[in-house]
Amino acid sequence: MTDLNRTPLHALHKQLGAKMVPFAGYDMPVQYPLGVKKEHEHTRQQCGLFDVSHMGQILVSGENVAEALETLIPADLVGLQQGQQRYGLFTSSDGGIIDDLMVVNAGDHFYLVVNAACKEQDIAHLRANLGTTHQIDVLDRGLLALQGPKARDVMQRLCPQACELTFMQHGRYTLAGHEVWVSRSGYTGEDGFEISVAAEDSQALAETLLAEPEVEAIGLGARDSLRLEAGLCLYGHDMDLHTTPVEASLIWAIGKPRRHGGERAAGFPGADVILHQVEAKDHTRKRVGLVAEGRAPVREGSQLVDEAGNEIGIVTSGGFGPSVGKPIAMGYVSREWEAAGNTVYALVRGKQLPMSVTAMPFVAPGYYRG
């Protein structure tokens, strides 16, 4: 077996009694003694601390860096103000999704956070396309996510300036004596902060945060159920190279200036395919939310059929939603089935389990917008 990478918090996970599993080439905590369901509930009710240091952190600098990144990403980055963060996609020449990422305008450079499983290919993609004109720096830093309705209370005590941020804003601060980069964002649907810190300071900062009464360590298991309830895609599951942003219900990630009629229309890989789908709406499938009528969980890979048993789609993420109180899923269905309220059936152990197509997110978001 190939040796797994370790984040700067690996020793701390062991100390905390985490169950470790391989994930995206890293040895990561899937749960702690509290257990996945309680970790999930604690994050929704109070505050959870997640180690997301396995994700890639990249700086891109040089002349007209926003315009350069727009040749690879269909978001409006030229219009992104300093200190603002935006969700983006790397797209392929045939309209597929190479990866999804967060993009921050940090002034004289842009700061990107990409998925762990994709970071090597993303770095190669950036270097191949921008490497001769722009500097691409891959960082070795820790990344912590403090998530939940009590995250603000914790941050108010430790770094009150960061509480002035609103959802998708970014700033540079000193937190408990450590120089940190903080974004008011996360992948749970709750208010929270993502904190980038020097690798050597990661454990000390994590221990400081965990010492706060509201905070518990949370593993990958609860992170997955939280992001599913929030209706958020996981790359490689709910979207991939064979999925367009329009099919994935991510049309909002294509900035209006980048669409036909906009001041910087197209100019990104796959624009002809993607913008045609935006306007013609002739794509044949769509990502939707699904709520089970029974109690049996419906997992990724389950086939979706109509009442007569005809195949109409597939589940890409699924499980029990602790905050919803029933099994939930997301997946792709033929366009004629995409409307909320439609009943489709998941094939589970030879049985057709009814599921209702529903709007997402499954839980109301708690993002702080000021």
Side-chain angles (χ1 to χ4, degrees):
M1 181 174 159
T2 307
D3 287 340
L4 294 170
N5 293 309
R6 296 180 173 186
T7 75
L9 297 186
H10 190 269
L12 180 59
H13 298 315
K14 294 281 198 177
Q15 288 172 30
L16 295 172
K19 178 184 177 183
M20 307 296 286
V21 297
F23 181 80
Y26 282 78
D27 195 26
M28 294 292 290
V30 69
Q31 67 179 76
Y32 297 89
L34 195 60
V36 173
K37 185 172 183 286
K38 288 184 178 178
E39 289 173 28
H40 177 113
E41 292 168 343
H42 187 88
T43 304
R44 287 270 183 256
Q45 294 158 10
Q46 295 199 58
C47 185
L49 184 68
F50 302 75
D51 179 11
V52 287
S53 306
H54 58 311
M55 299 184 77
Q57 300 181 66
I58 306 165
L59 300 185
V60 183
S61 52
E63 211 168 317
N64 301 320
V65 64
E67 289 87 346
L69 284 168
E70 281 196 356
T71 65
L72 302 178
I73 300 169
D76 174 13
L77 301 181
V78 170
L80 188 63
Q81 299 298 308
Q82 184 173 341
Q84 296 283 338
Q85 175 173 274
R86 186 157 286 160
Y87 178 82
L89 304 165
F90 285 131
T91 52
S92 69
S93 58
D94 56 3
I97 300 171
I98 294 172
D99 195 11
D100 64 335
L101 69 156
M102 287 294 186
V103 185
V104 172
N105 180 347
D108 63 349
H109 63 273
F110 272 54
Y111 165 54
L112 316 182
V113 179
V114 303
N115 282 304
C118 304
K119 65 182 175 183
E120 296 307 324
Q121 70 175 34
D122 290 348
I123 293 161
H125 184 57
L126 285 163
R127 286 180 170 154
N129 289 279
L130 306 183
T132 58
T133 54
H134 291 77
Q135 187 168 333
I136 316 294
D137 293 309
V138 181
L139 307 179
D140 180 19
R141 293 174 66 86
L143 190 63
L144 309 177
L146 187 70
Q147 300 282 294
K150 301 289 187 181
R152 185 185 186 281
D153 296 347
V154 174
M155 197 64 89
Q156 187 66 47
R157 294 193 290 270
L158 298 176
C159 184
Q161 308 96 305
C163 293
E164 296 171 12
L165 298 172
T166 58
F167 182 56
M168 297 296 271
Q169 287 186 333
H170 178 92
R172 309 281 166 103
Y173 307 102
T174 301
L175 196 170
H178 307 292
E179 296 301 314
V180 293
W181 307 346
V182 179
S183 296
R184 192 122 190 205
S185 57
Y187 226 59
T188 62
E190 297 294 338
D191 183 24
F193 303 86
E194 291 180 300
I195 306 162
S196 175
V197 60
E200 61 271 21
D201 294 337
S202 299
Q203 180 160 335
L205 179 57
E207 288 173 338
T208 297
L209 293 167
L210 288 168
E212 296 299 311
E214 302 91 340
V215 184
E216 288 281 354
I218 311 294
L220 291 172
R223 179 173 166 82
D224 194 52
S225 57
L226 288 158
R227 70 93 194 163
L228 176 57
E229 287 187 341
L232 300 170
C233 292
L234 179 62
Y235 189 82
H237 299 258
D238 309 298
M239 56 182 167
D240 54 28
L241 275 170
H242 306 293
T243 311
T244 70
V246 181
E247 292 171 332
S249 300
L250 296 173
I251 192 170
W252 54 268
I254 305 161
K256 288 184 179 177
R258 314 301 310 282
R259 303 183 194 183
H260 288 146
E263 57 263 36
R264 297 184 313 285
F268 56 87
D272 51 342
V273 174
I274 295 166
L275 296 181
H276 172 78
Q277 287 188 355
V278 168
E279 294 185 344
K281 298 179 172 59
D282 61 353
H283 48 293
T284 59
R285 63 186 190 132
K286 197 74 178 286
R287 179 175 65 93
V288 297
L290 300 161
V291 176
E293 294 180 13
R295 302 293 292 176
V298 177
R299 303 292 184 190
E300 176 183 352
S302 298
Q303 195 179 63
L304 296 171
V305 299
D306 63 16
E307 195 169 10
N310 301 306
E311 185 178 352
I312 58 171
I314 192 164
V315 171
T316 53
S317 286
F320 188 80
S323 307
V324 180
K326 56 183 69 174
I328 57 172
M330 66 173 80
Y332 286 81
V333 296
S334 301
R335 292 291 306 283
E336 59 266 33
W337 293 94
E338 71 177 306
N342 279 332
T343 298
V344 300
Y345 299 84
L347 291 183
V348 179
R349 299 187 192 91
K351 294 182 179 179
Q352 289 188 188
L353 304 183
M355 302 193 83
S356 296
V357 176
T358 185
M360 293 184 284
F362 299 97
V363 296
Y367 305 129
Y368 178 70
R369 300 183 186 274

